[in-house]
Amino acid sequence: MSNLEQRVSRLQDYKRLRLKEELFRDQPGARWEYTWNALAKDAPHYFPGPYRAIDVGYMDGDGTEYSIYAASPTDDWATTRKQFDWILRGFQEG
């Protein structure tokens, strides 16, 4: 995640909210949360304005890397976070 953060930190007004190691289903991983300000040039992926994102990544016992990611405009974050938590709880490998 630290390597990804180096690239993402170039986003307009990037701010790390959290980047910490944690276990996910007894596997070592990390949780990364951040905000940035999307610009008009970032379309069609993002509308201009403030965004928030979360990424939980881990590596399984076989060495396969997984990443569960969500991002949305800051105004929609409460709904997005609920959806992300639901997806994270139900995530199945393979």
Side-chain angles (χ1 to χ4, degrees), residues 10-53:
R10 296 181 200 138
L11 293 171
Q12 181 75 34
D13 299 325
Y14 168 82
K15 180 181 178 188
R16 179 201 298 180
L17 302 176
R18 177 190 303 181
L19 178 56
K20 69 174 194 161
E21 291 183 24
E22 64 179 36
L23 293 177
F24 180 73
R25 298 193 179 154
D26 297 325
Q27 302 293 331
R31 179 178 296 256
W32 177 28
E33 296 182 49
Y34 60 95
T35 61
W36 81 98
N37 191 34
L39 304 175
K41 70 178 181 72
D42 297 328
H45 301 291
Y46 302 104
F47 296 107
Y51 273 76
R52 185 165 176 168

Side-chain angles (χ1 to χ4, degrees), residues 4-91:
L4 287 174
E5 184 180 36
Q6 289 176 352
R7 285 187 264 158
V8 171
S9 66
R10 296 181 200 138
L11 293 171
Q12 181 75 34
D13 299 325
Y14 168 82
K15 180 181 178 188
R16 179 201 298 180
L17 302 176
R18 177 190 303 181
L19 178 56
K20 69 174 194 161
E21 291 183 24
E22 64 179 36
L23 293 177
F24 180 73
R25 298 193 179 154
D26 297 325
Q27 302 293 331
R31 179 178 296 256
W32 177 28
E33 296 182 49
Y34 60 95
T35 61
W36 81 98
N37 191 34
L39 304 175
K41 70 178 181 72
D42 297 328
H45 301 291
Y46 302 104
F47 296 107
Y51 273 76
R52 185 165 176 168
I54 185 170
D55 191 347
V56 171
Y58 74 100
M59 186 176 298
D60 71 11
D62 295 331
T64 303
E65 293 183 43
Y66 293 91
S67 180
I68 300 99
Y69 172 85
S72 73
T74 302
D75 290 345
D76 298 331
W77 184 247
T79 299
T80 300
R81 181 56 193 257
K82 287 178 188 175
Q83 292 169 340
F84 177 83
D85 290 342
W86 183 79
I87 290 167
L88 192 63
R89 280 192 304 275
F91 177 76

